Amino acid sequence: MDLVQHSNLYLYYKLMPSTFATSMLAVAARNELTYRSQHGDESAGYYLAWTRFVNSG
């Protein structure tokens, strides 16, 4: 599964799993967004922060 070629928005949508298989994809998507965020991609950091905000309430 190569998530490098997908946009940040696509990865954000994959962070919301509905089955076991998609939950494994969600972990990979979160890892990719984290990697991008740590390497200067501000929108990836935004999507990670938004996910934390949505899940906190």
Short mmCIF file of all heavy atoms in Angstrom, two decimals:
data_model
loop_
_atom_site.label_atom_id
_atom_site.label_comp_id
_atom_site.label_asym_id
_atom_site.label_seq_id
_atom_site.Cartn_x
_atom_site.Cartn_y
_atom_site.Cartn_z
N MET A 1 0.84 -1.16 0.00
CA MET A 1 0.00 0.00 0.00
C MET A 1 0.89 1.23 0.00
O MET A 1 1.64 1.48 0.93
CB MET A 1 -0.88 -0.07 1.24
CG MET A 1 -1.61 1.15 1.57
SD MET A 1 -2.70 1.02 3.02
CE MET A 1 -2.22 -0.48 3.82
N ASP A 2 0.81 1.99 -1.06
CA ASP A 2 1.66 3.16 -1.21
C ASP A 2 0.81 4.41 -1.05
O ASP A 2 0.10 4.82 -1.96
CB ASP A 2 2.33 3.13 -2.58
CG ASP A 2 3.37 4.21 -2.73
OD1 ASP A 2 3.82 4.75 -1.71
OD2 ASP A 2 3.73 4.51 -3.87
N LEU A 3 0.87 5.01 0.13
CA LEU A 3 0.07 6.20 0.40
C LEU A 3 0.79 7.48 0.06
O LEU A 3 0.21 8.56 0.15
CB LEU A 3 -0.33 6.21 1.88
CG LEU A 3 -1.25 5.08 2.32
CD1 LEU A 3 -1.49 5.15 3.81
CD2 LEU A 3 -2.56 5.14 1.57
N VAL A 4 2.03 7.38 -0.36
CA VAL A 4 2.83 8.57 -0.65
C VAL A 4 2.22 9.37 -1.79
O VAL A 4 2.27 10.60 -1.79
CB VAL A 4 4.29 8.18 -0.97
CG1 VAL A 4 5.11 9.37 -1.38
CG2 VAL A 4 4.90 7.49 0.23
N GLN A 5 1.60 8.72 -2.75
CA GLN A 5 1.09 9.40 -3.93
C GLN A 5 -0.26 10.09 -3.70
O GLN A 5 -0.71 10.84 -4.53
CB GLN A 5 0.95 8.41 -5.07
CG GLN A 5 -0.05 7.31 -4.78
CD GLN A 5 0.00 6.21 -5.80
OE1 GLN A 5 0.82 6.22 -6.69
NE2 GLN A 5 -0.89 5.25 -5.67
N HIS A 6 -0.89 9.86 -2.56
CA HIS A 6 -2.22 10.41 -2.30
C HIS A 6 -2.13 11.77 -1.61
O HIS A 6 -1.16 12.09 -0.93
CB HIS A 6 -3.04 9.45 -1.44
CG HIS A 6 -3.34 8.16 -2.13
ND1 HIS A 6 -4.15 8.07 -3.23
CD2 HIS A 6 -2.92 6.91 -1.88
CE1 HIS A 6 -4.22 6.82 -3.63
NE2 HIS A 6 -3.47 6.10 -2.83
N SER A 7 -3.20 12.54 -1.76
CA SER A 7 -3.25 13.87 -1.15
C SER A 7 -3.50 13.77 0.36
O SER A 7 -3.92 12.73 0.87
CB SER A 7 -4.37 14.69 -1.79
OG SER A 7 -5.63 14.17 -1.40
N ASN A 8 -3.25 14.87 1.04
CA ASN A 8 -3.49 14.91 2.48
C ASN A 8 -4.97 14.73 2.80
O ASN A 8 -5.32 14.08 3.79
CB ASN A 8 -3.00 16.23 3.06
CG ASN A 8 -1.51 16.33 3.05
OD1 ASN A 8 -0.80 15.34 3.04
ND2 ASN A 8 -1.01 17.55 3.04
N LEU A 9 -5.84 15.28 1.97
CA LEU A 9 -7.28 15.14 2.21
C LEU A 9 -7.72 13.68 2.08
O LEU A 9 -8.51 13.19 2.88
CB LEU A 9 -8.07 16.02 1.25
CG LEU A 9 -9.57 16.05 1.45
CD1 LEU A 9 -9.92 16.54 2.86
CD2 LEU A 9 -10.23 16.93 0.40
N TYR A 10 -7.18 12.97 1.10
CA TYR A 10 -7.49 11.55 0.95
C TYR A 10 -7.05 10.78 2.20
O TYR A 10 -7.79 9.95 2.72
CB TYR A 10 -6.77 10.99 -0.28
CG TYR A 10 -6.89 9.50 -0.43
CD1 TYR A 10 -8.00 8.93 -1.04
CD2 TYR A 10 -5.89 8.64 0.03
CE1 TYR A 10 -8.13 7.56 -1.17
CE2 TYR A 10 -6.00 7.28 -0.10
CZ TYR A 10 -7.12 6.74 -0.70
OH TYR A 10 -7.23 5.39 -0.82
N LEU A 11 -5.87 11.10 2.70
CA LEU A 11 -5.37 10.43 3.91
C LEU A 11 -6.24 10.78 5.11
O LEU A 11 -6.50 9.92 5.96
CB LEU A 11 -3.92 10.81 4.16
CG LEU A 11 -2.92 10.34 3.11
CD1 LEU A 11 -1.56 10.91 3.41
CD2 LEU A 11 -2.87 8.84 3.02
N TYR A 12 -6.70 12.02 5.18
CA TYR A 12 -7.57 12.43 6.28
C TYR A 12 -8.86 11.60 6.28
O TYR A 12 -9.31 11.14 7.31
CB TYR A 12 -7.89 13.91 6.18
CG TYR A 12 -8.93 14.36 7.17
CD1 TYR A 12 -8.63 14.48 8.52
CD2 TYR A 12 -10.22 14.66 6.76
CE1 TYR A 12 -9.58 14.88 9.44
CE2 TYR A 12 -11.18 15.06 7.67
CZ TYR A 12 -10.85 15.17 9.00
OH TYR A 12 -11.80 15.56 9.90
N TYR A 13 -9.44 11.42 5.11
CA TYR A 13 -10.67 10.61 5.03
C TYR A 13 -10.43 9.17 5.44
O TYR A 13 -11.31 8.52 5.99
CB TYR A 13 -11.25 10.65 3.61
CG TYR A 13 -11.91 11.96 3.27
CD1 TYR A 13 -11.72 12.55 2.03
CD2 TYR A 13 -12.73 12.62 4.18
CE1 TYR A 13 -12.32 13.75 1.71
CE2 TYR A 13 -13.33 13.82 3.87
CZ TYR A 13 -13.13 14.38 2.63
OH TYR A 13 -13.72 15.56 2.31
N LYS A 14 -9.25 8.68 5.21
CA LYS A 14 -8.93 7.29 5.58
C LYS A 14 -8.71 7.14 7.08
O LYS A 14 -8.62 6.02 7.57
CB LYS A 14 -7.70 6.80 4.81
CG LYS A 14 -7.93 6.68 3.33
CD LYS A 14 -9.06 5.73 3.04
CE LYS A 14 -9.41 5.71 1.58
NZ LYS A 14 -10.56 4.86 1.30
N LEU A 15 -8.63 8.24 7.83
CA LEU A 15 -8.44 8.15 9.27
C LEU A 15 -9.71 7.74 10.01
O LEU A 15 -9.69 7.54 11.22
CB LEU A 15 -7.97 9.50 9.82
CG LEU A 15 -6.57 9.92 9.43
CD1 LEU A 15 -6.28 11.31 9.98
CD2 LEU A 15 -5.54 8.93 9.91
N MET A 16 -10.82 7.61 9.29
CA MET A 16 -12.10 7.26 9.91
C MET A 16 -12.51 5.85 9.48
O MET A 16 -13.29 5.69 8.55
CB MET A 16 -13.14 8.29 9.53
CG MET A 16 -12.81 9.67 10.02
SD MET A 16 -13.83 10.93 9.31
CE MET A 16 -12.63 11.76 8.28
N PRO A 17 -12.01 4.83 10.15
CA PRO A 17 -12.27 3.46 9.71
C PRO A 17 -13.67 2.97 10.09
O PRO A 17 -14.28 3.45 11.04
CB PRO A 17 -11.22 2.64 10.45
CG PRO A 17 -10.96 3.42 11.69
CD PRO A 17 -11.11 4.87 11.29
N SER A 18 -14.16 1.99 9.32
CA SER A 18 -15.45 1.38 9.63
C SER A 18 -15.34 -0.13 9.79
O SER A 18 -16.27 -0.76 10.28
CB SER A 18 -16.46 1.72 8.53
OG SER A 18 -15.99 1.25 7.29
N THR A 19 -14.23 -0.70 9.37
CA THR A 19 -14.01 -2.14 9.51
C THR A 19 -12.57 -2.38 9.98
O THR A 19 -11.78 -1.44 10.05
CB THR A 19 -14.22 -2.89 8.18
OG1 THR A 19 -13.21 -2.45 7.25
CG2 THR A 19 -15.60 -2.65 7.60
N PHE A 20 -12.26 -3.63 10.28
CA PHE A 20 -10.90 -3.94 10.71
C PHE A 20 -9.89 -3.63 9.62
O PHE A 20 -8.82 -3.06 9.88
CB PHE A 20 -10.79 -5.42 11.11
CG PHE A 20 -9.40 -5.81 11.50
CD1 PHE A 20 -8.87 -5.42 12.72
CD2 PHE A 20 -8.60 -6.54 10.64
CE1 PHE A 20 -7.58 -5.75 13.08
CE2 PHE A 20 -7.31 -6.88 11.00
CZ PHE A 20 -6.80 -6.49 12.21
N ALA A 21 -10.23 -3.99 8.39
CA ALA A 21 -9.30 -3.75 7.28
C ALA A 21 -9.05 -2.25 7.09
O ALA A 21 -7.91 -1.83 6.87
CB ALA A 21 -9.84 -4.36 6.00
N THR A 22 -10.09 -1.45 7.19
CA THR A 22 -9.89 -0.02 7.01
C THR A 22 -9.22 0.60 8.22
O THR A 22 -8.62 1.67 8.11
CB THR A 22 -11.21 0.71 6.70
OG1 THR A 22 -12.15 0.46 7.74
CG2 THR A 22 -11.77 0.28 5.36
N SER A 23 -9.30 -0.05 9.38
CA SER A 23 -8.58 0.48 10.54
C SER A 23 -7.07 0.32 10.35
O SER A 23 -6.29 1.15 10.81
CB SER A 23 -9.04 -0.18 11.83
OG SER A 23 -8.69 -1.53 11.86
N MET A 24 -6.66 -0.74 9.66
CA MET A 24 -5.24 -0.90 9.36
C MET A 24 -4.79 0.18 8.37
O MET A 24 -3.68 0.71 8.48
CB MET A 24 -4.98 -2.30 8.82
CG MET A 24 -5.25 -3.37 9.86
SD MET A 24 -4.95 -5.02 9.28
CE MET A 24 -3.19 -5.00 9.08
N LEU A 25 -5.64 0.52 7.43
CA LEU A 25 -5.35 1.60 6.49
C LEU A 25 -5.29 2.94 7.23
O LEU A 25 -4.47 3.80 6.91
CB LEU A 25 -6.41 1.64 5.39
CG LEU A 25 -6.25 2.72 4.33
CD1 LEU A 25 -4.92 2.58 3.60
CD2 LEU A 25 -7.40 2.67 3.36
N ALA A 26 -6.14 3.11 8.24
CA ALA A 26 -6.14 4.35 9.02
C ALA A 26 -4.81 4.54 9.75
O ALA A 26 -4.30 5.66 9.84
CB ALA A 26 -7.30 4.35 10.02
N VAL A 27 -4.26 3.47 10.28
CA VAL A 27 -2.96 3.56 10.96
C VAL A 27 -1.88 3.98 9.96
O VAL A 27 -1.06 4.85 10.25
CB VAL A 27 -2.60 2.21 11.63
CG1 VAL A 27 -1.17 2.21 12.13
CG2 VAL A 27 -3.56 1.92 12.76
N ALA A 28 -1.90 3.39 8.78
CA ALA A 28 -0.92 3.75 7.76
C ALA A 28 -1.10 5.20 7.31
O ALA A 28 -0.12 5.92 7.11
CB ALA A 28 -1.03 2.80 6.57
N ALA A 29 -2.35 5.64 7.18
CA ALA A 29 -2.62 7.02 6.78
C ALA A 29 -2.14 7.99 7.86
O ALA A 29 -1.55 9.03 7.55
CB ALA A 29 -4.11 7.21 6.51
N ARG A 30 -2.39 7.66 9.13
CA ARG A 30 -1.93 8.53 10.22
C ARG A 30 -0.39 8.61 10.24
O ARG A 30 0.18 9.68 10.43
CB ARG A 30 -2.43 8.02 11.56
CG ARG A 30 -1.99 8.89 12.72
CD ARG A 30 -2.53 8.41 14.05
NE ARG A 30 -3.97 8.25 14.06
CZ ARG A 30 -4.84 9.26 14.19
NH1 ARG A 30 -4.40 10.47 14.32
NH2 ARG A 30 -6.13 9.02 14.19
N ASN A 31 0.26 7.49 10.01
CA ASN A 31 1.72 7.49 9.96
C ASN A 31 2.23 8.36 8.82
O ASN A 31 3.21 9.09 8.99
CB ASN A 31 2.25 6.07 9.83
CG ASN A 31 2.07 5.26 11.08
OD1 ASN A 31 1.87 5.80 12.16
ND2 ASN A 31 2.12 3.94 10.95
N GLU A 32 1.60 8.28 7.66
CA GLU A 32 2.02 9.08 6.52
C GLU A 32 1.79 10.57 6.78
O GLU A 32 2.65 11.40 6.48
CB GLU A 32 1.29 8.64 5.25
CG GLU A 32 1.67 9.42 4.02
CD GLU A 32 3.13 9.30 3.61
OE1 GLU A 32 3.78 8.28 3.92
OE2 GLU A 32 3.64 10.24 2.97
N LEU A 33 0.64 10.91 7.36
CA LEU A 33 0.39 12.32 7.68
C LEU A 33 1.38 12.83 8.73
O LEU A 33 1.84 13.97 8.65
CB LEU A 33 -1.05 12.50 8.18
CG LEU A 33 -2.13 12.51 7.11
CD1 LEU A 33 -3.50 12.53 7.76
CD2 LEU A 33 -1.96 13.69 6.19
N THR A 34 1.70 12.00 9.70
CA THR A 34 2.68 12.39 10.71
C THR A 34 4.05 12.62 10.08
O THR A 34 4.72 13.61 10.38
CB THR A 34 2.78 11.30 11.80
OG1 THR A 34 1.49 11.13 12.39
CG2 THR A 34 3.77 11.68 12.88
N TYR A 35 4.44 11.74 9.19
CA TYR A 35 5.72 11.89 8.49
C TYR A 35 5.75 13.19 7.70
O TYR A 35 6.72 13.95 7.77
CB TYR A 35 5.95 10.69 7.56
CG TYR A 35 7.17 10.83 6.70
CD1 TYR A 35 8.43 10.52 7.19
CD2 TYR A 35 7.07 11.28 5.39
CE1 TYR A 35 9.56 10.67 6.40
CE2 TYR A 35 8.19 11.43 4.59
CZ TYR A 35 9.43 11.11 5.11
OH TYR A 35 10.55 11.27 4.31
N ARG A 36 4.67 13.44 6.97
CA ARG A 36 4.62 14.67 6.17
C ARG A 36 4.65 15.91 7.05
O ARG A 36 5.30 16.89 6.73
CB ARG A 36 3.35 14.68 5.31
CG ARG A 36 3.36 13.66 4.21
CD ARG A 36 2.09 13.71 3.41
NE ARG A 36 2.03 12.65 2.42
CZ ARG A 36 1.07 12.55 1.52
NH1 ARG A 36 0.10 13.43 1.48
NH2 ARG A 36 1.09 11.55 0.66
N SER A 37 3.93 15.84 8.16
CA SER A 37 3.89 16.97 9.09
C SER A 37 5.26 17.26 9.67
O SER A 37 5.67 18.42 9.80
CB SER A 37 2.90 16.68 10.20
OG SER A 37 2.89 17.69 11.16
N GLN A 38 5.99 16.22 10.03
CA GLN A 38 7.32 16.39 10.60
C GLN A 38 8.33 16.89 9.59
O GLN A 38 9.39 17.39 9.96
CB GLN A 38 7.80 15.07 11.20
CG GLN A 38 7.04 14.66 12.44
CD GLN A 38 7.40 13.28 12.92
OE1 GLN A 38 8.03 12.50 12.21
NE2 GLN A 38 6.99 12.97 14.14
N HIS A 39 8.01 16.74 8.31
CA HIS A 39 8.93 17.19 7.27
C HIS A 39 8.43 18.45 6.56
O HIS A 39 8.74 18.69 5.40
CB HIS A 39 9.16 16.05 6.27
CG HIS A 39 10.01 14.97 6.85
ND1 HIS A 39 9.48 13.95 7.59
CD2 HIS A 39 11.34 14.77 6.84
CE1 HIS A 39 10.45 13.15 7.99
NE2 HIS A 39 11.59 13.63 7.56
N GLY A 40 7.64 19.26 7.28
CA GLY A 40 7.32 20.59 6.79
C GLY A 40 6.00 20.77 6.07
O GLY A 40 5.71 21.88 5.62
N ASP A 41 5.18 19.75 5.94
CA ASP A 41 3.90 19.90 5.27
C ASP A 41 2.87 20.40 6.28
O ASP A 41 2.39 19.65 7.12
CB ASP A 41 3.46 18.56 4.67
CG ASP A 41 2.25 18.69 3.76
OD1 ASP A 41 1.52 19.69 3.88
OD2 ASP A 41 2.04 17.77 2.95
N GLU A 42 2.53 21.69 6.20
CA GLU A 42 1.64 22.29 7.19
C GLU A 42 0.22 21.77 7.09
O GLU A 42 -0.47 21.67 8.11
CB GLU A 42 1.66 23.81 7.04
CG GLU A 42 3.00 24.41 7.39
CD GLU A 42 3.03 25.90 7.15
OE1 GLU A 42 1.99 26.48 6.79
OE2 GLU A 42 4.11 26.49 7.31
N SER A 43 -0.25 21.45 5.90
CA SER A 43 -1.62 20.96 5.78
C SER A 43 -1.77 19.57 6.40
O SER A 43 -2.82 19.24 6.95
CB SER A 43 -2.09 20.96 4.32
OG SER A 43 -1.37 20.02 3.56
N ALA A 44 -0.73 18.76 6.36
CA ALA A 44 -0.78 17.45 7.02
C ALA A 44 -0.91 17.64 8.52
O ALA A 44 -1.69 16.95 9.19
CB ALA A 44 0.47 16.64 6.68
N GLY A 45 -0.18 18.60 9.07
CA GLY A 45 -0.30 18.90 10.48
C GLY A 45 -1.69 19.41 10.84
O GLY A 45 -2.23 19.10 11.91
N TYR A 46 -2.27 20.19 9.94
CA TYR A 46 -3.63 20.68 10.16
C TYR A 46 -4.62 19.52 10.24
O TYR A 46 -5.47 19.49 11.13
CB TYR A 46 -4.02 21.64 9.03
CG TYR A 46 -5.48 22.00 9.03
CD1 TYR A 46 -5.98 22.96 9.91
CD2 TYR A 46 -6.37 21.38 8.17
CE1 TYR A 46 -7.31 23.30 9.92
CE2 TYR A 46 -7.71 21.70 8.17
CZ TYR A 46 -8.18 22.66 9.05
OH TYR A 46 -9.51 22.97 9.07
N TYR A 47 -4.52 18.58 9.33
CA TYR A 47 -5.45 17.44 9.34
C TYR A 47 -5.26 16.59 10.59
O TYR A 47 -6.24 16.09 11.16
CB TYR A 47 -5.29 16.59 8.08
CG TYR A 47 -5.87 17.25 6.85
CD1 TYR A 47 -5.10 17.48 5.73
CD2 TYR A 47 -7.20 17.63 6.82
CE1 TYR A 47 -5.63 18.08 4.61
CE2 TYR A 47 -7.74 18.24 5.70
CZ TYR A 47 -6.96 18.46 4.60
OH TYR A 47 -7.49 19.06 3.49
N LEU A 48 -4.04 16.43 11.05
CA LEU A 48 -3.81 15.67 12.28
C LEU A 48 -4.41 16.41 13.48
O LEU A 48 -5.03 15.79 14.35
CB LEU A 48 -2.32 15.44 12.49
CG LEU A 48 -1.67 14.41 11.58
CD1 LEU A 48 -0.16 14.44 11.76
CD2 LEU A 48 -2.22 13.03 11.86
N ALA A 49 -4.23 17.71 13.53
CA ALA A 49 -4.79 18.50 14.63
C ALA A 49 -6.32 18.47 14.58
O ALA A 49 -6.97 18.35 15.62
CB ALA A 49 -4.28 19.94 14.55
N TRP A 50 -6.89 18.54 13.42
CA TRP A 50 -8.34 18.51 13.26
C TRP A 50 -8.87 17.15 13.74
O TRP A 50 -9.90 17.09 14.41
CB TRP A 50 -8.72 18.78 11.82
CG TRP A 50 -10.20 18.79 11.62
CD1 TRP A 50 -10.95 17.85 11.02
CD2 TRP A 50 -11.11 19.81 12.06
NE1 TRP A 50 -12.26 18.21 11.03
CE2 TRP A 50 -12.40 19.41 11.68
CE3 TRP A 50 -10.96 20.99 12.75
CZ2 TRP A 50 -13.52 20.16 11.95
CZ3 TRP A 50 -12.09 21.75 13.01
CH2 TRP A 50 -13.35 21.33 12.62
N THR A 51 -8.18 16.07 13.43
CA THR A 51 -8.60 14.75 13.86
C THR A 51 -8.58 14.65 15.39
O THR A 51 -9.51 14.10 15.99
CB THR A 51 -7.68 13.67 13.27
OG1 THR A 51 -7.72 13.78 11.85
CG2 THR A 51 -8.11 12.29 13.65
N ARG A 52 -7.54 15.19 16.01
CA ARG A 52 -7.47 15.20 17.47
C ARG A 52 -8.63 15.99 18.07
O ARG A 52 -9.23 15.60 19.07
CB ARG A 52 -6.15 15.73 17.96
CG ARG A 52 -5.01 14.75 17.81
CD ARG A 52 -3.76 15.22 18.54
NE ARG A 52 -3.21 16.46 18.01
CZ ARG A 52 -2.35 16.53 17.01
NH1 ARG A 52 -1.93 15.44 16.42
NH2 ARG A 52 -1.90 17.69 16.58
N PHE A 53 -8.97 17.12 17.44
CA PHE A 53 -10.06 17.96 17.92
C PHE A 53 -11.40 17.23 17.80
O PHE A 53 -12.20 17.23 18.73
CB PHE A 53 -10.09 19.27 17.14
CG PHE A 53 -11.27 20.13 17.44
CD1 PHE A 53 -11.34 20.81 18.63
CD2 PHE A 53 -12.31 20.24 16.54
CE1 PHE A 53 -12.43 21.61 18.93
CE2 PHE A 53 -13.41 21.02 16.82
CZ PHE A 53 -13.47 21.71 18.01
N VAL A 54 -11.65 16.62 16.67
CA VAL A 54 -12.91 15.93 16.43
C VAL A 54 -13.06 14.74 17.37
O VAL A 54 -14.14 14.49 17.92
CB VAL A 54 -13.00 15.48 14.95
CG1 VAL A 54 -14.17 14.53 14.73
CG2 VAL A 54 -13.11 16.69 14.04
N ASN A 55 -11.98 14.01 17.59
CA ASN A 55 -12.04 12.82 18.44
C ASN A 55 -12.08 13.16 19.93
O ASN A 55 -12.37 12.28 20.74
CB ASN A 55 -10.87 11.88 18.14
CG ASN A 55 -11.01 11.26 16.78
OD1 ASN A 55 -12.12 11.11 16.26
ND2 ASN A 55 -9.90 10.88 16.19
N SER A 56 -11.75 14.39 20.30
CA SER A 56 -11.72 14.74 21.72
C SER A 56 -13.12 15.05 22.26
O SER A 56 -13.31 15.05 23.45
CB SER A 56 -10.80 15.93 21.95
OG SER A 56 -11.36 17.10 21.38
N GLY A 57 -14.05 15.36 21.38
CA GLY A 57 -15.37 15.78 21.84
C GLY A 57 -16.33 14.70 21.85
O GLY A 57 -17.15 14.35 22.53
#
